[in-house]
Amino acid sequence: MTANRLAESLLALSQQEELVDLPKDYLLSGSEDEGDNDGEREHQKLLEAISSLDGKNRRKLAERSEASLKVSEFNVSSEGSGEKLVLADLLEPVKTSSSLATVKKQLNRVKSKKTVELPLNKEEIERIHREVAFNKTAKVLSKWDPVVLKNRQAEQLVFPLEKEEPAIAPIEHVLSGWKARTPLEQEIFNLLHKNKQPVADPLLTPVEKASLQAMSLEEAKMRRAELQRARALQSYYEAKARREKKIKSKKYHKVVKKGKAKKALKEFEQLRKVNPAAALEELEKIEKARMMERMSLKHQNSGKWAKSKAIMAKYDLEARQAMQEQLAKNKELTQKLQVASESEEEEGGTEEKVEELLVPDVVNEVQMNADGPNPWMLRSCTSDTKEAATQEDPEQLPEPEAHEVSESEGEDRPVAEEEILLREFEERRSLRKRSELSQDAEPAGSQETKDSSSQEVLSELRVLSQKLKENDQSRKQKASSEGTIPQVQREEPATEEEEPLLLQRPERVQTLEELEELGKEECFQNKELSRPVLEGQQSERTPNNRPDAPKKKKKEQMIDLQNLLTTQSPSVKSLAVPTIEELEDEEERNQRQMIKEAFAGDDVIRDFLKEKREAVEASKPKDVDLTLPGWGEWGGVGLKPSAKKRRRFLIKAPEGPPRKDKNLPNVIINEKRNIHTAAHQVRVLPYPFTHHWQFERTIQTPIGSTWNTQRAFQKLTTPKVVTKPGHIINPIKAEDVGYRSSSRSDLSVIQRNPKRITTRHKKQLKKSSVD
Amino acid sequence: MGEMETAPKPGRDVPPKKDKLQTKRKAQDPFPGPAPVPVEVVQKFCRIDKSRKLPRSKAKTRSRLEVAEAEEEETSIKAARSELLLAEEPGFLEGEDGEDTAKICQADIVEAVDIASAAKHFDLNLRQFGPYRLNYSRTGRHLAFGGRRGHVAALDWVTKKLMCEINVMEAVRDIRFLHSEALLAVAQNRWLHIYDNQGIELHCIRRCDRVTRLEFLPFHFLLATASETGFLTYLDVSVGKIVAALNARAGRLDVMSQNPYNAVIHLGHSNGTVSLWSPAMKEPLAKILCHRGGVRAVAVDSTGTYMATSGLDHQLKIFDLRGTYQPLSTRTLPHGAGHLAFSQRGLLVAGMGDVVNIWAGQGKGSPPSLEQPYLTHRLSGPVHGLQFCPFEDVLGVGHSGGVTSMLVPGAGEPNFDGLESNPYRSRKQRQEWEVKALLEKVPAELICLDPRALAEVDVISLEQGKKERIERLGYDPQGYDPEAKAPFQPKPKQKGRSSTASLVKRKRKVMDEEHRDKVRQSLQQQQQQQQQKEAKAKSTGARPSALDRFVR
């Protein structure tokens, strides 16, 4: 990236120079000291300038306010070629020099590197953020769907919402006197029995019960606080270690190392006094380390670094010292502890020091070889040991930072429980670091890692000295923190229990819900059972009523009005006949005759039929006649438009629905719409209904107290929402409806961490959001 | 209904201990669960018409429908249960074996019943002021009668306490109580007058002149008057306005009755027709040709199902008013009936000369059978007015000799609604009721043949609104009608390709394609039907008969 940019800037620079050069030359043209070549060109240019003086294509010359008569011999002029300056030209030296070769190499390397993917632009990143955030929020919010649905369908909502104690229908009640009969039920019960799930009496399994009783809320809170504190402390410690590690001062590190070594020694001394057995063990360990060192070629000035130092040692005092230090270390590590007396050791040490001061590497090597038992073995073993070391704890390789903490394996054992937690954190952190490292993978970084790995191997040897102190520490800890450790140990199982609880709870709730649902279903079934019965009854009844109607209608078609009115009906001979009639029986007959005569003339029936015909005609929609006389033919008085034309311009009205009184000869039913009544009717369908029949069904039952019993009336007119006066109505919470409090953290992760997102990330994100 | 809530039956494998327990519980409650309700009674209160099959509906709609149906079921069950509170039973008259009840005269009945009931039979001998019209108040407690010669009186007929007695010095054609017994409308020779129960004239309504018949619609507070001039006038007595004055165009109107079910006024005309009127319409809602001669009397029963008419052709007919308007039964009476009235329980009385005949049906809601009269009674003069007293087994007859109150067992509704029309209400209660009734007053324009029209959707305006919306927006926003597709609109194309001709061509193409699709579909349907038919025929034909083996 940087190299790329560098190249670009170089290019730009060269171009600039190019630009700058041209006018310079132009100005300089007047000067005498110029070659033939130059003169010709200048002449050409002059001609061009003159020719361009006329007209539009007059070239505007670049002006230069600053007159520089000096001709710089360092300036690169691109005259003659007329081409752009290429980067390679710039780098091409006048004389080939070795220093430029490296630059070239670097450039080549830069060129060969693939370009890093461009970060997405801001809008796209924001869109992706929004998308993901939306998906997450939707997911989080979707858990409210059933609650919302329930509230919408609820007959009545009473606010403030009271947390209902989930009425656990005791399953014993449900199950008493009930037996699995169908094969499905039997199978289910088999499964339940197999898994030792409670079937009848206790609702919960013993484990569930125990887990329910395990912890109170306060306890859990305290535990959580403790854990948090531990985590915080750890993070502080880590931060401190990192800070210290970052310190580049070699002196500081040296001092620290020395201090540590001294401390270790002191402790070892103390240990020897206090607990000789342990000290012996330690010694053994030290011995083993010594053997390892002897086997290896470490600290023997045979490495690359050592060799380079050896070259420099002639001139550089520091380098010499470094080498000596190495050797001293080697000595230190390879020395046998018990065998040699202190004085001897000192003597050897001084001798060596003196020697090392004078003698260069090669000599030393020889000497060392002489010291060591078998030079061949040393050579061959080095690589193996390295491997072995890496195999010994592979965990330490990827986490150079946390090394100092994790180094101490001895510490691990007593505080193992804590360690698990810590390790989790570290793993996560290291993962993150690794990803970071891989992201900005620079050559320097890889080198560093190499260095660090080698250092690890080195530092592993330091286990030796540190283990001395560790044991002591652990013992101290054991002594001092015997109160705390058990606590921690207690914590651990607790957390372990917590997890199952967390896992189990929702399941249990689910089962409860399922139970409720089952109950509901049963209810529904009951209802359904009852309904078919009702329906059956209704259907039984309806046929009685309904099929009559069509039959009647069919009959009605046969009705003749004449028959209807003229049929002789049986006359009544009641006991109590009107007195007058009794007296004048003959007169009665006369009267009848008279009536018949009286109504013989005026034909009521005919009149009525005529009236009906008129009414039918009047109610029929009328045709529209659009003929214009005189158009397209002769016009004038007495001339009618032709039948063809009339037929053509007659718009026939659509036929309406059949009249209600079509088959009723003695009835005229008014078909006109009663607009006054219609004004009171519903004319817009409310929301969930798509057909007016559906809506009509819901409003057919009257709700007034005139038609209903008092209880039914009250029930039908209960308000949808009831608020208790004087109570604060809080917004609904997850706890109110039986959810555990929601974790909002997962929502805001992305907003807090707006990293660079590339197209690759985008794809991943999309995938995840789809999932 | 309640049968489903029986105790769970013990399983076979239940241990004996539990069995005992259950038997114990059984012993405790011999009738577990709610008491059963007879299905017929429940059915009476069910108002949702389930015969109509609904189109497929969404889940949300279905849930609403289910809720509505459940509510209906619950309320109807509750109402059916509350029938238990209707403790009184209707009276009846039964002859000894084979004896005709019509032979039983009033004296026998009065002898047989208790004193309180016997006191309800009385005769008012008022020969001086000519034939009387009479009217009972809605509670059945008060009686008003007016004589042709101007005698008007109102009394509490149970206690025989006279409220007022005046002579209006004018011919009285009809008399009617308004919503309560405190107000009295009298159709006098020229105008309509309104008196209070002290006999003080409150109003003289000159716009209603020469009124022959009065009818009061209690729930609408409308006084309907039929006049000699052929006008039917509706007067809103709560605000004193004339709501509608309708010209019947059929000459003099002197036959009128109301349908208590839907407050439609029935007018009888001299051309043998009966017309049905509502103040909302200028024309009659329906016209029924009933008799060859003029109509003399009309009466409608309390359920609004049956109408009885009598005409000059001496016939008495009972019509079905449920949409068909066809006569159910017809009788020729020797003299023809001049007056008709239905009782609350469906008894029909006809006044013929000086005789009244009463016919009874099978109970409430059934048409009276005209085979045999239930009771007959002879009065001292020709009948001029008839009305059954509400909530009492009493028939009031106004005649030229005065007013007679006669006992008709089984005529009145035994159980009254204390909140609606309480015969025993105090003055205070009456005032309370008046306010409530006024608050619940039904607008006059709601009167139509089907009083449940309010529970229907105005389909025409609904469709129109939908169409307008679609037209306005260019598409159907609510997707009511999945078939309603937007008409094809050819897209404009470039370079002269969207000439009118090509546009038309494209349109035609799409239209043709659609048409072809339709034809194809219909053809397929036809083929399917044919195939089905064939399959059926084959299946029936192939079936071997048991007698086939004998075929040679």
Side-chain angles (χ1 to χ4, degrees), chain A residues 569 579 581 611 668 688 697, chain B residues 52 61 287 332 335 354 378:
Chain A
S569 55
T579 40
E581 276 173 78
E611 203 184 332
I668 307 170
R697 234 177 224 207
Chain B
R52 193 146 62 179
T61 320
K287 253 186 185 179
T332 309
H335 201 62
D354 60 345
R378 191 186 297 278

Side-chain angles (χ1 to χ4, degrees), chain B residues 242-548:
Chain B
I242 286 178
V243 172
L246 311 169
N247 191 354
R249 294 171 212 278
R252 183 190 149 93
L253 303 173
D254 57 354
V255 179
M256 178 160 78
S257 80
Q258 66 159 307
N259 184 343
Y261 172 66
N262 53 14
V264 165
I265 294 287
H266 292 227
L267 291 177
H269 303 293
S270 56
N271 61 357
T273 58
V274 169
S275 55
L276 277 56
W277 293 87
S278 141
M281 298 279 275
K282 291 277 177 209
E283 292 90 39
L285 300 172
K287 253 186 185 179
I288 310 153
L289 181 61
C290 299
H291 296 279
R292 294 195 70 193
V295 178
R296 286 179 76 193
V298 179
V300 185
D301 85 321
S302 58
T303 57
T305 329
Y306 306 110
M307 174 177 74
T309 60
S310 75
L312 280 176
D313 55 356
H314 290 203
Q315 285 197 325
L316 174 64
K317 290 183 180 176
I318 292 173
F319 284 84
D320 188 356
L321 287 183
R322 293 172 292 192
T324 60
Y325 305 104
Q326 296 305 313
L328 297 176
S329 53
T330 311
R331 278 281 124 162
T332 309
L333 300 176
H335 201 62
H339 298 272
L340 290 171
F342 269 104
S343 87
Q344 277 177 328
R345 286 183 53 80
L347 267 62
L348 175 68
V349 63
M352 308 170 287
D354 60 345
V355 171
V356 286
N357 263 12
I358 300 166
W359 291 277
Q362 297 303 316
K364 203 183 175 183
S366 65
S369 63
L370 302 178
E371 300 288 328
Q372 279 279 317
Y374 177 61
L375 271 180
T376 53
H377 187 63
R378 191 186 297 278
L379 301 153
S380 55
V383 176
H384 196 60
L386 278 175
Q387 198 191 355
F388 278 102
C389 179
F391 308 113
E392 293 281 0
D393 287 346
V394 167
L395 169 69
V397 186
H399 49 91
S400 54
V403 173
T404 304
S405 164
M406 55 181 281
L407 296 181
V408 183
E413 183 67 47
N415 299 290
F416 59 84
D417 182 351
L419 294 173
E420 191 55 41
S421 45
N422 185 359
Y424 307 108
R425 70 185 172 193
S426 62
R427 207 165 130 243
K428 206 77 203 159
Q429 280 173 322
R430 196 194 73 210
Q431 285 163 354
E432 288 275 331
W433 167 84
E434 214 169 343
V435 171
K436 278 176 188 158
L438 274 169
L439 285 175
E440 288 176 357
K441 188 182 108 170
V442 186
E445 62 260 29
L446 281 183
I447 297 175
C448 54
L449 279 177
D450 181 15
R452 293 182 57 75
L454 260 194
E456 280 164 12
V457 176
D458 183 8
V459 183
I460 294 171
S461 0
L462 179 76
E463 293 293 330
Q464 199 177 338
K466 220 191 287 176
K467 216 184 274 171
E468 275 170 11
R469 198 188 303 115
I470 290 169
E471 231 165 65
R472 203 167 56 236
L473 298 172
Y475 71 101
D476 191 358
Q478 296 183 325
Y480 282 126
D481 196 1
E483 273 110 281
K485 246 198 296 184
F488 173 70
Q489 208 65 42
K491 277 181 193 167
K493 294 203 170 167
Q494 285 174 340
K495 288 187 184 170
R497 275 163 189 263
S498 62
S499 68
T500 320
S502 75
L503 284 186
V504 169
K505 253 186 218 164
R506 270 189 276 159
K507 263 190 193 176
R508 170 65 36 85
K509 259 189 200 170
V510 173
M511 255 170 61
D512 287 348
E513 186 55 42
E514 278 172 0
H515 182 70
R516 254 174 264 140
D517 276 350
K518 267 184 197 167
V519 169
R520 230 172 272 146
Q521 276 181 2
S522 68
L523 270 176
Q524 269 185 357
Q525 275 185 355
Q526 277 182 3
Q527 278 178 354
Q528 275 182 359
Q529 281 176 357
Q530 267 195 353
Q531 279 175 358
Q532 279 178 359
K533 265 185 193 172
E534 278 170 18
K536 262 189 188 174
K538 265 185 191 172
S539 63
T540 50
R543 199 173 175 193
S545 166
L547 300 173
D548 278 354

Side-chain angles (χ1 to χ4, degrees), chain A residues 50-294:
Chain A
I50 288 163
S51 66
S52 67
L53 268 178
D54 66 321
K56 290 162 198 170
N57 45 358
R58 178 176 164 186
R59 194 166 153 203
K60 214 178 182 185
L61 294 172
E63 274 181 31
R64 200 181 162 95
S65 55
E66 195 183 331
S68 73
L69 291 170
K70 253 189 204 169
V71 181
S72 168
E73 56 193 358
F74 303 109
N75 259 346
V76 187
S77 71
S78 64
E79 287 166 342
S81 64
E83 293 162 357
K84 265 190 178 178
L85 195 63
V86 193
L87 185 62
D89 295 346
L90 267 180
L91 290 172
E92 212 161 310
V94 186
K95 291 169 197 167
T96 46
S97 77
S98 59
S99 61
L100 272 178
T102 54
V103 179
K104 255 188 178 177
K105 250 186 209 168
Q106 275 180 359
L107 260 180
N108 281 335
R109 208 186 298 157
V110 164
K111 271 183 191 168
S112 64
K113 265 245 164 79
K114 266 188 185 172
T115 50
V116 180
E117 272 178 297
L118 269 179
L120 291 176
N121 56 6
K122 201 179 158 196
E123 286 76 31
E124 274 193 317
I125 290 170
E126 275 176 356
R127 199 191 307 139
I128 291 160
H129 283 322
R130 280 199 303 272
E131 222 169 86
V132 175
F134 169 79
N135 283 332
K136 287 215 164 169
T137 333
K139 210 175 179 186
V140 170
L141 288 183
S142 69
K143 76 171 179 182
W144 289 96
D145 287 352
V147 180
V148 171
L149 191 71
K150 206 179 114 202
N151 281 357
R152 277 199 188 141
Q153 287 178 344
E155 279 178 12
Q156 191 177 42
L157 287 175
V158 182
F159 291 112
L161 282 177
E162 261 161 42
K163 203 166 150 190
E164 269 181 45
E165 296 302 319
I168 301 168
I171 205 162
E172 313 91 39
H173 291 205
V174 182
L175 285 174
S176 65
W178 184 80
K179 222 207 145 207
R181 287 190 196 105
T182 63
L184 177 68
E185 284 169 353
Q186 279 165 356
E187 209 168 303
I188 288 169
F189 270 77
N190 267 339
L191 269 177
L192 286 177
H193 285 304
K194 255 185 209 167
N195 295 328
K196 289 174 187 172
Q197 290 295 315
V199 177
D201 202 9
L203 193 63
L204 305 170
T205 54
V207 181
E208 278 174 334
K209 262 188 185 167
S211 69
L212 268 179
Q213 290 166 353
M215 206 174 5
S216 73
L217 185 66
E218 280 164 39
E219 262 184 323
K221 271 183 183 170
M222 273 174 55
R223 222 158 271 174
R224 196 163 135 266
E226 275 174 11
L227 272 176
Q228 274 179 341
R229 213 170 130 260
R231 262 173 234 148
L233 280 176
Q234 197 206 339
S235 72
Y236 297 155
Y237 181 71
E238 276 171 18
K240 197 185 161 196
R242 229 174 287 142
R243 204 176 59 240
E244 280 176 356
K245 175 125 204 288
K246 265 189 186 168
I247 296 173
K248 283 183 179 162
S249 158
K250 281 177 185 168
K251 207 171 182 185
Y252 166 78
H253 283 293
K254 245 180 243 167
V255 168
V256 169
K257 271 179 204 165
K258 268 185 186 168
K260 271 182 187 171
K262 261 185 191 172
K263 217 179 169 185
L265 264 179
K266 241 184 207 172
E267 273 162 6
F268 179 69
E269 292 294 300
Q270 272 188 347
L271 193 69
R272 206 161 57 173
K273 278 172 195 166
V274 177
N275 191 359
L280 260 178
E281 268 181 36
E282 285 305 309
L283 265 181
E284 263 178 18
K285 272 178 194 166
I286 292 171
E287 183 63 22
K288 203 174 182 183
R290 191 183 66 86
M291 274 153 68
M292 300 283 277
E293 175 70 12
R294 278 170 66 98

